[in-house]
Amino acid sequence: MTAIDMKKSLFFLILLLFPALIFAQTFTMEQVGKFSFPSELTASPSGEKIAWAMNEQGKRNIYLAEGPDFSPIKLTQFNEDDGQEISSLKFTADGNWLVFVRGGDHGGGNASSTVNALNLPVLPKVEIWKINLSSRKSEVMVEGDDFILGPQHQVLFLKGGQVWKADLMGNEKPTQLFQIKGNVNGGEFSPDGKKLAFTVNRGGHQLIGIFENAKTPIHWIAPSFHRYSQPKWSPDGTQLAFIKTQGGTGAAFPLLEPRHIPWEIWVADVQSGEGKMLWKAPETLRGSYRSGFFAFPSDQELIFESYHEGWQHLFALNTSTQKVESLTPGNYMVEQIKLSSDSKTIVFSGNTGPEKEDLDRRHIGVLDIASKKLTWKTSGNGIEAYPVALGNQGKLAFFSATPQRSHLVAILDGDQSSLLQENSIPADFPQSKLISPKQVSFKAPDGTTVYGQLFEKEGGPAKKPGVVFVHGGPQRQMLLGWSYMDYYSNTYAFNQYLAELGFVVLSVNYRLGIGYGYEFHRPAYGYHQGAVEYQDIKAAGEYLSALSQVDGNKIGIYGGSYGGYLTALALARDSELFKVGVDIHGVHDLDGRYALPEGYEVASDYEKAKKIAWESSPIADLDTWKSPVLFIHSDDDRNVSVSQTTDLIRRFEEKGMPYESVLIPGDTHHWMLWRNMVRVGNLTADFLKKHLMD
Ligand SMILES: CSCC[C@H](NC=O)C(=O)N[C@@H](C)C(=O)O
């Protein structure tokens, strides 16, 4: 027997004697937290260049890649984990500049408010930056956010609800483009660059105005007592299409009865300002308004997104015949929809494909507008998202991930696909040790099928503790691989780490989530109207505890934001099932969801609705909350106020109820510091281990 054979025999003997060694932890939260996260993928109009932002352990930088080889070039030097987000990355029309915003937190309210997660004595700023792609010099242009790029290197940005103009070349100081009453909240230049269509909110109504120059009065488009949004110019610049929704507040209808929210698609003659309705959404719940993709790719046709067929689909609307044609029929949703720079194709991601698991994935689709031909460009066990068309040669760029590898930029040219930045994956990122979560499903008490992803590392003890993970939103879908959202790439890493520690983790895609059709996404009596979705969480706990490989007496639960709300509800209502929990920036008091009615009119079911809102709140069931809990919240949270946890902790203390808590000063809802994300992952895992394993 050779020395090698002896070593192998000894190795296997040790493994036989000590099976725990097979099951031993092989990576840390910090190592799995080193996943890369790309965002803001954009292409130059010619399609020869792409750019994106890459978050590498909190260091967020911009990369450029130029065809035909698309070798990535790092354009910026932001080399600290400093919590400064990069957003709104765009090429100028000539492709010679990149413009972006650095700072703020664009994942929730008050997006343009500076983030000081490092708790510096001087607040960072939210600024608009530019990069000259010839010199590759990047520099601040102006303090601001919400910009649009205009002709002659104009950069328009919003400040205090007014439109300001900066000059990309820096030849002049920023000036206010025009003055107007109300809050301007969006705009789009005409194809010839000579006019700006903008939306201005004036309280109960929102108008569309056209600005031409400092001497010409604003020209209103079909002014009315309604709300106009998403103005889109026809290619020839003679028409303007827009979405029309109700104005004012209307009668005090019953609060607990789901109602259709009407919306219409209009087109107006720019010269006369006269408009006409082209399409009125079906007056069904599915036909209710929700903001979505809207484009005017040719003078005769609009493309819009609607749920009225029961799934988020695309439709074509002929501006002459007013005929509507379904472009993406089938039981799946489309999202991340983008028009190519030549307005000839539309690219998007969708949860469909040849495998049943594709329902919990995303693959890339391309629609040729002229022929209405839909082609699915990707399939398999990966997750592809946020596609952009590269010029008109049929090339695509998109984010690509697998169950093991987090998102990287991919280029698809014909049937040739190539990944960029694979060499950026840190050597100690445990890609080969990550598991592929399995698609599972179970029935809720009302018969609804609920999907989940089961994370389980092979081997180990016959019975393992289980953990239910509850996503936030709630309009989200967790997938069978790394998420295209940074927040859910964080929790995907948490779930991989928990499985590595020996937990069986069930990530539950409860109703109110997307990806499973209208009625699943928009059920009656959700959240403060009765928490109908909670039955899916309890069902998930029961499903997990019944698995043969799980110890049904050792079930924990954790979740963030809306997931924190449902975690708290589970611990308050079902402590005998959920033995421990970690509630990350959750919502606990829904009593304030109904403002006191103004004036005489009160909804007929106002008192009933208020009562249900209270009963749907975790704070209503504190007397049955017996399980240990860890609360985590940062105090610059713009999505869920830290007061939700501050108040709950005070109620715990008033009742003498035990709890553990960690407040993270300065960070936001989205763990802008990488080190805070890793810390929250470790805090969560350690608390669950303490109560379920040790
Ligand atoms: C209705 S409670 C607010 C929950 C929050 N939604 C938006 O900010 C949330 O869940 N945030 C993250 C986690 C998300 O949007 O998924």
Side-chain angles (χ1 to χ4, degrees), residues 11 40 97 147 156 202 221 248 281 422 442 453 524 592 600 622 694:
F11 173 73
E40 303 296 320
W97 296 80
F147 71 85
L156 301 189
R202 287 186 163 173
I221 297 295
E422 276 194 287
F442 48 89
Q453 308 83 50
Y600 178 76
L622 294 187
D694 300 347

Short mmCIF file of all heavy atoms in Angstrom, two decimals, residues 11 40 97 147 156 202 221 248 281 422 442 453 524 592 600 622 694:
data_model
loop_
_atom_site.label_atom_id
_atom_site.label_comp_id
_atom_site.label_asym_id
_atom_site.label_seq_id
_atom_site.Cartn_x
_atom_site.Cartn_y
_atom_site.Cartn_z
N PHE A 11 -7.67 8.83 6.38
CA PHE A 11 -8.65 9.94 6.29
C PHE A 11 -10.06 9.38 6.42
O PHE A 11 -10.86 9.83 7.22
CB PHE A 11 -8.46 10.68 4.96
CG PHE A 11 -9.51 11.71 4.68
CD1 PHE A 11 -9.53 12.91 5.38
CD2 PHE A 11 -10.51 11.46 3.73
CE1 PHE A 11 -10.52 13.85 5.13
CE2 PHE A 11 -11.48 12.41 3.48
CZ PHE A 11 -11.50 13.60 4.19
N GLU A 40 -27.14 48.82 -11.61
CA GLU A 40 -27.09 49.98 -12.52
C GLU A 40 -26.53 49.66 -13.90
O GLU A 40 -25.91 50.53 -14.52
CB GLU A 40 -26.26 51.10 -11.88
CG GLU A 40 -26.75 51.56 -10.53
CD GLU A 40 -28.13 52.20 -10.59
OE1 GLU A 40 -28.40 52.96 -11.53
OE2 GLU A 40 -28.94 51.92 -9.70
N TRP A 97 -19.52 60.26 -22.04
CA TRP A 97 -19.53 60.55 -20.60
C TRP A 97 -20.43 59.56 -19.87
O TRP A 97 -21.39 59.05 -20.45
CB TRP A 97 -20.08 61.96 -20.35
CG TRP A 97 -19.26 63.09 -20.90
CD1 TRP A 97 -19.23 63.53 -22.18
CD2 TRP A 97 -18.35 63.91 -20.17
NE1 TRP A 97 -18.36 64.57 -22.32
CE2 TRP A 97 -17.81 64.84 -21.09
CE3 TRP A 97 -17.93 63.98 -18.83
CZ2 TRP A 97 -16.88 65.81 -20.72
CZ3 TRP A 97 -17.01 64.94 -18.46
CH2 TRP A 97 -16.49 65.85 -19.40
N PHE A 147 -31.54 63.21 -11.69
CA PHE A 147 -31.19 63.99 -12.88
C PHE A 147 -31.72 63.31 -14.15
O PHE A 147 -32.03 62.12 -14.15
CB PHE A 147 -29.67 64.18 -12.99
CG PHE A 147 -28.91 62.93 -13.33
CD1 PHE A 147 -28.76 62.53 -14.65
CD2 PHE A 147 -28.34 62.15 -12.33
CE1 PHE A 147 -28.06 61.37 -14.98
CE2 PHE A 147 -27.64 61.00 -12.64
CZ PHE A 147 -27.50 60.60 -13.97
N LEU A 156 -30.15 68.03 -16.22
CA LEU A 156 -31.21 68.64 -15.41
C LEU A 156 -31.38 67.82 -14.14
O LEU A 156 -31.31 66.59 -14.17
CB LEU A 156 -32.53 68.64 -16.19
CG LEU A 156 -32.56 69.37 -17.53
CD1 LEU A 156 -34.01 69.46 -18.04
CD2 LEU A 156 -31.94 70.75 -17.44
N ARG A 202 -49.64 69.11 -7.92
CA ARG A 202 -50.22 70.29 -7.30
C ARG A 202 -51.27 69.89 -6.27
O ARG A 202 -52.34 70.44 -6.19
CB ARG A 202 -50.81 71.22 -8.37
CG ARG A 202 -49.72 71.93 -9.14
CD ARG A 202 -50.20 72.96 -10.12
NE ARG A 202 -49.11 73.86 -10.51
CZ ARG A 202 -49.20 74.78 -11.45
NH1 ARG A 202 -50.35 74.92 -12.11
NH2 ARG A 202 -48.17 75.55 -11.75
N ILE A 221 -50.68 70.29 -21.20
CA ILE A 221 -51.23 69.21 -22.01
C ILE A 221 -52.52 68.72 -21.37
O ILE A 221 -52.51 68.16 -20.28
CB ILE A 221 -50.22 68.03 -22.12
CG1 ILE A 221 -48.95 68.47 -22.82
CG2 ILE A 221 -50.85 66.85 -22.83
CD1 ILE A 221 -49.12 68.88 -24.28
N GLY A 248 -57.80 63.97 -6.55
CA GLY A 248 -58.47 64.16 -5.27
C GLY A 248 -58.46 62.92 -4.40
O GLY A 248 -57.67 62.01 -4.59
N ALA A 281 -58.43 50.83 -18.68
CA ALA A 281 -58.16 49.50 -18.12
C ALA A 281 -59.48 48.83 -17.74
O ALA A 281 -60.42 49.50 -17.31
CB ALA A 281 -57.28 49.63 -16.89
N GLU A 422 -15.11 37.37 -13.42
CA GLU A 422 -15.04 36.14 -12.61
C GLU A 422 -13.82 36.17 -11.69
O GLU A 422 -13.84 35.64 -10.58
CB GLU A 422 -14.99 34.91 -13.51
CG GLU A 422 -16.38 34.45 -13.97
CD GLU A 422 -16.34 33.06 -14.58
OE1 GLU A 422 -15.83 32.97 -15.72
OE2 GLU A 422 -16.79 32.11 -13.93
N PHE A 442 -46.19 23.66 -0.47
CA PHE A 442 -47.10 23.08 0.52
C PHE A 442 -48.40 23.88 0.48
O PHE A 442 -48.48 24.92 -0.18
CB PHE A 442 -46.48 23.11 1.93
CG PHE A 442 -45.89 24.44 2.31
CD1 PHE A 442 -46.66 25.43 2.92
CD2 PHE A 442 -44.56 24.71 2.02
CE1 PHE A 442 -46.11 26.65 3.24
CE2 PHE A 442 -43.99 25.95 2.35
CZ PHE A 442 -44.78 26.93 2.95
N GLN A 453 -38.05 27.73 -0.80
CA GLN A 453 -36.75 27.17 -1.16
C GLN A 453 -36.18 26.54 0.11
O GLN A 453 -36.11 27.19 1.14
CB GLN A 453 -35.79 28.26 -1.66
CG GLN A 453 -36.33 29.15 -2.77
CD GLN A 453 -37.17 30.28 -2.23
OE1 GLN A 453 -36.77 30.99 -1.32
NE2 GLN A 453 -38.39 30.41 -2.76
N ALA A 524 -57.26 39.84 -0.77
CA ALA A 524 -57.95 40.73 0.16
C ALA A 524 -57.44 40.42 1.57
O ALA A 524 -56.95 39.32 1.84
CB ALA A 524 -59.45 40.50 0.06
N GLY A 592 -51.73 52.80 13.39
CA GLY A 592 -51.71 54.12 12.76
C GLY A 592 -51.97 54.08 11.27
O GLY A 592 -51.85 55.09 10.58
N TYR A 600 -66.87 65.30 7.68
CA TYR A 600 -68.05 64.51 8.04
C TYR A 600 -67.92 63.05 7.63
O TYR A 600 -68.27 62.13 8.34
CB TYR A 600 -69.27 65.15 7.37
CG TYR A 600 -70.54 64.38 7.64
CD1 TYR A 600 -71.16 64.47 8.87
CD2 TYR A 600 -71.09 63.52 6.65
CE1 TYR A 600 -72.31 63.74 9.14
CE2 TYR A 600 -72.22 62.81 6.91
CZ TYR A 600 -72.84 62.90 8.15
OH TYR A 600 -73.98 62.18 8.40
N LEU A 622 -49.00 40.36 22.72
CA LEU A 622 -47.79 40.24 23.56
C LEU A 622 -47.99 39.23 24.70
O LEU A 622 -47.05 38.59 25.14
CB LEU A 622 -47.39 41.61 24.10
CG LEU A 622 -46.93 42.64 23.07
CD1 LEU A 622 -46.39 43.89 23.76
CD2 LEU A 622 -45.90 42.06 22.12
N ASP A 694 -27.19 24.82 20.88
CA ASP A 694 -26.27 24.55 22.01
C ASP A 694 -27.01 23.84 23.16
O ASP A 694 -28.22 23.99 23.28
CB ASP A 694 -25.70 25.90 22.52
CG ASP A 694 -24.92 26.59 21.37
OD1 ASP A 694 -24.67 25.88 20.36
OD2 ASP A 694 -24.68 27.79 21.46
#
